[in-house]
Short mmCIF file of all heavy atoms in Angstrom, two decimals:
data_model
loop_
_atom_site.label_atom_id
_atom_site.label_comp_id
_atom_site.label_asym_id
_atom_site.label_seq_id
_atom_site.Cartn_x
_atom_site.Cartn_y
_atom_site.Cartn_z
N THR G 251 9.70 6.61 5.19
CA THR G 251 8.40 6.73 5.83
C THR G 251 7.92 8.17 5.67
O THR G 251 8.72 9.10 5.78
CB THR G 251 8.49 6.37 7.33
OG1 THR G 251 8.97 5.02 7.44
CG2 THR G 251 7.14 6.46 8.02
N LEU G 252 6.64 8.33 5.40
CA LEU G 252 6.06 9.67 5.26
C LEU G 252 5.13 9.95 6.43
O LEU G 252 4.41 9.05 6.88
CB LEU G 252 5.24 9.78 3.97
CG LEU G 252 6.01 10.13 2.69
CD1 LEU G 252 6.83 8.95 2.23
CD2 LEU G 252 5.03 10.56 1.59
N ILE G 253 5.14 11.17 6.90
CA ILE G 253 4.11 11.59 7.85
C ILE G 253 3.39 12.79 7.25
O ILE G 253 4.02 13.80 6.93
CB ILE G 253 4.70 11.92 9.24
CG1 ILE G 253 5.37 10.66 9.83
CG2 ILE G 253 3.60 12.43 10.17
CD1 ILE G 253 5.88 10.83 11.25
N VAL G 254 2.08 12.63 7.07
CA VAL G 254 1.27 13.71 6.53
C VAL G 254 0.52 14.34 7.71
O VAL G 254 -0.12 13.64 8.49
CB VAL G 254 0.25 13.18 5.50
CG1 VAL G 254 -0.42 14.35 4.78
CG2 VAL G 254 0.92 12.25 4.50
N GLY G 255 0.62 15.64 7.85
CA GLY G 255 0.03 16.33 8.99
C GLY G 255 -1.48 16.37 8.96
O GLY G 255 -2.11 16.02 7.95
N ASN G 256 -2.08 16.79 10.06
CA ASN G 256 -3.52 17.09 10.04
C ASN G 256 -3.70 18.57 9.70
O ASN G 256 -2.73 19.25 9.32
CB ASN G 256 -4.18 16.68 11.38
CG ASN G 256 -3.75 17.54 12.56
OD1 ASN G 256 -3.18 18.64 12.40
ND2 ASN G 256 -4.01 17.07 13.77
N SER G 257 -4.94 19.07 9.83
CA SER G 257 -5.21 20.45 9.37
C SER G 257 -4.47 21.49 10.21
O SER G 257 -4.34 22.64 9.79
CB SER G 257 -6.71 20.72 9.39
OG SER G 257 -7.20 20.59 10.71
N ASN G 258 -4.00 21.11 11.39
CA ASN G 258 -3.30 22.07 12.27
C ASN G 258 -1.78 21.98 12.19
O ASN G 258 -1.09 22.78 12.82
CB ASN G 258 -3.70 21.85 13.73
CG ASN G 258 -5.15 22.17 13.98
OD1 ASN G 258 -5.64 23.20 13.52
ND2 ASN G 258 -5.85 21.30 14.70
N THR G 259 -1.26 21.00 11.49
CA THR G 259 0.19 20.80 11.45
C THR G 259 0.87 21.97 10.74
O THR G 259 0.38 22.43 9.71
CB THR G 259 0.52 19.48 10.73
OG1 THR G 259 -0.18 18.42 11.37
CG2 THR G 259 2.01 19.20 10.76
N LYS G 260 1.98 22.42 11.33
CA LYS G 260 2.66 23.56 10.70
C LYS G 260 4.17 23.37 10.75
O LYS G 260 4.67 22.44 11.39
CB LYS G 260 2.26 24.85 11.41
CG LYS G 260 2.44 24.83 12.91
CD LYS G 260 1.75 26.03 13.56
CE LYS G 260 1.77 25.89 15.08
NZ LYS G 260 1.05 26.97 15.75
N ILE G 261 4.87 24.24 10.05
CA ILE G 261 6.33 24.20 10.07
C ILE G 261 6.82 25.34 10.97
O ILE G 261 6.45 26.50 10.78
CB ILE G 261 6.91 24.34 8.64
CG1 ILE G 261 6.39 23.20 7.76
CG2 ILE G 261 8.43 24.33 8.68
CD1 ILE G 261 6.74 23.33 6.28
N ILE G 262 7.58 24.97 12.00
CA ILE G 262 8.15 25.97 12.92
C ILE G 262 9.67 25.81 12.87
O ILE G 262 10.18 24.75 13.24
CB ILE G 262 7.65 25.77 14.36
CG1 ILE G 262 6.14 25.97 14.46
CG2 ILE G 262 8.39 26.71 15.31
CD1 ILE G 262 5.57 25.74 15.87
N ASN G 263 10.35 26.87 12.44
CA ASN G 263 11.82 26.82 12.35
C ASN G 263 12.34 25.56 11.67
O ASN G 263 13.26 24.91 12.16
CB ASN G 263 12.44 26.91 13.76
CG ASN G 263 12.41 28.33 14.28
OD1 ASN G 263 12.47 29.28 13.51
ND2 ASN G 263 12.30 28.47 15.60
N GLY G 264 11.73 25.20 10.57
CA GLY G 264 12.19 24.06 9.79
C GLY G 264 11.80 22.70 10.34
O GLY G 264 12.21 21.66 9.82
N LYS G 265 11.01 22.67 11.42
CA LYS G 265 10.53 21.40 11.98
C LYS G 265 9.02 21.28 11.77
O LYS G 265 8.31 22.29 11.68
CB LYS G 265 10.85 21.32 13.49
CG LYS G 265 12.35 21.20 13.79
CD LYS G 265 12.85 19.80 13.51
CE LYS G 265 14.34 19.65 13.82
NZ LYS G 265 14.78 18.25 13.70
N MET G 266 8.53 20.06 11.71
CA MET G 266 7.10 19.78 11.44
C MET G 266 6.40 19.51 12.77
O MET G 266 6.75 18.56 13.47
CB MET G 266 7.03 18.56 10.52
CG MET G 266 5.62 18.14 10.12
SD MET G 266 5.72 16.71 8.97
CE MET G 266 3.97 16.32 8.81
N ILE G 267 5.44 20.36 13.09
CA ILE G 267 4.84 20.33 14.43
C ILE G 267 3.32 20.24 14.35
O ILE G 267 2.68 21.04 13.67
CB ILE G 267 5.18 21.64 15.20
CG1 ILE G 267 6.69 21.96 15.13
CG2 ILE G 267 4.66 21.60 16.63
CD1 ILE G 267 7.58 20.93 15.75
N THR G 268 2.73 19.29 15.06
CA THR G 268 1.27 19.25 15.20
C THR G 268 0.92 19.66 16.62
O THR G 268 1.24 18.94 17.57
CB THR G 268 0.71 17.85 14.93
OG1 THR G 268 1.14 17.42 13.64
CG2 THR G 268 -0.81 17.86 14.98
N PRO G 269 0.29 20.83 16.80
CA PRO G 269 -0.06 21.27 18.15
C PRO G 269 -1.01 20.28 18.81
O PRO G 269 -1.89 19.72 18.15
CB PRO G 269 -0.76 22.61 17.93
CG PRO G 269 -0.33 23.07 16.58
CD PRO G 269 -0.13 21.82 15.78
N ARG G 270 -0.81 20.06 20.11
CA ARG G 270 -1.71 19.17 20.85
C ARG G 270 -2.95 19.93 21.29
O ARG G 270 -3.98 19.32 21.59
CB ARG G 270 -0.94 18.62 22.07
CG ARG G 270 -1.72 17.75 23.01
CD ARG G 270 -1.86 16.33 22.49
NE ARG G 270 -2.59 15.52 23.45
CZ ARG G 270 -3.90 15.28 23.36
NH1 ARG G 270 -4.60 15.78 22.38
NH2 ARG G 270 -4.50 14.52 24.25
#
Side-chain angles (χ1 to χ4, degrees):
Chain G
T251 301
L252 275 73
I253 298 186
V254 189
N256 69 16
S257 61
N258 294 315
T259 305
K260 53 192 172 184
I261 300 172
I262 296 178
N263 283 330
K265 292 284 181 174
M266 181 178 175
I267 311 298
T268 305
R270 176 80 179 97

